[in-house]
């Protein structure tokens, strides 16, 4: 069974940047729709911030549009989220999601924490 591992989170000052990675272990992502989601502290809901089809067309949530950039490297089985001009409201746990539309299987990583604070 494929697993997904996120990395790259950390503490950054407002205006700073981070690059998150999500790597597939035991499978590939060629035919998966990949997305990034975040969950703010104390919230029970996850907000989708970026999504990319298997064709590589990204779409972004309104709260991150123009600041975040999603990319994927199918050969490496990885997706990335470049986050620029980070603000305190971007603080949260960031998760990657993979949806294999042919088999209708969905997987979540365990998340990586991003903290934006001065």
């Amino acid at each position: 069974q494929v697993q997904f591992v996120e990395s790259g989170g950390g503490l950054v000052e407002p205006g700073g940047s981070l690059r998150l990675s999500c790597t597939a272990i035991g499978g590939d992502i060629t035919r998966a729709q990949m997305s990034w989601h975040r969950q703010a502290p104390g919230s029970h809901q996850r907000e989708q911030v970026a999504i990319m089809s298997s064709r590589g067309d990204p779409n972004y949530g309104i709260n991150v549009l123009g600041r975040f950039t999603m990319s994927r490297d199918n050969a490496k089985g990885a997706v990335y989220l470049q986050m620029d001009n980070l603000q305190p409201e971007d603080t949260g746990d960031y998760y990657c999601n993979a949806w294999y539309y042919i088999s209708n299987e969905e997987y979540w990583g365990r998340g990586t924490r991003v903290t934006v604070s001065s």
Side-chain angles (χ1 to χ4, degrees):
Q1 183 174 349
V2 60
Q3 294 181 328
F4 291 86
V5 179
E6 301 96 334
S7 62
L11 173 64
V12 63
E13 293 186 348
S17 298
L18 284 174
R19 184 176 187 245
L20 305 183
S21 300
C22 171
T23 303
I25 299 174
D28 72 67
I29 63 170
T30 305
R31 291 179 177 82
Q33 173 183 275
M34 302 298 297
S35 55
W36 284 98
H37 303 248
R38 67 185 181 189
Q39 188 166 349
S43 173
H44 296 292
Q45 291 185 326
R46 291 183 183 179
E47 172 194 8
Q48 181 178 290
V49 297
I51 188 167
M52 181 177 282
S53 70
S54 58
R55 296 189 306 271
D57 303 317
N59 281 285
Y60 302 96
I62 189 66
N63 293 324
V64 307
L65 188 62
R67 300 188 298 122
F68 289 14
T69 303
M70 183 176 180
S71 60
R72 66 191 290 163
D73 186 335
N74 289 341
K76 293 183 178 180
V79 294
Y80 308 97
L81 188 67
Q82 176 66 39
M83 307 186 296
D84 297 318
N85 191 23
L86 283 161
Q87 301 300 317
E89 53 266 33
D90 295 316
T91 294
D93 293 321
Y94 283 70
Y95 301 87
C96 73
N97 174 278
W99 177 51
Y100 293 86
Y101 46 88
I102 293 177
S103 59
N104 196 28
E105 292 177 83
E106 183 180 31
Y107 300 91
W108 289 91
R110 292 194 173 188
T112 185
R113 178 155 294 179
V114 172
T115 303
V116 185
S117 175
S118 54

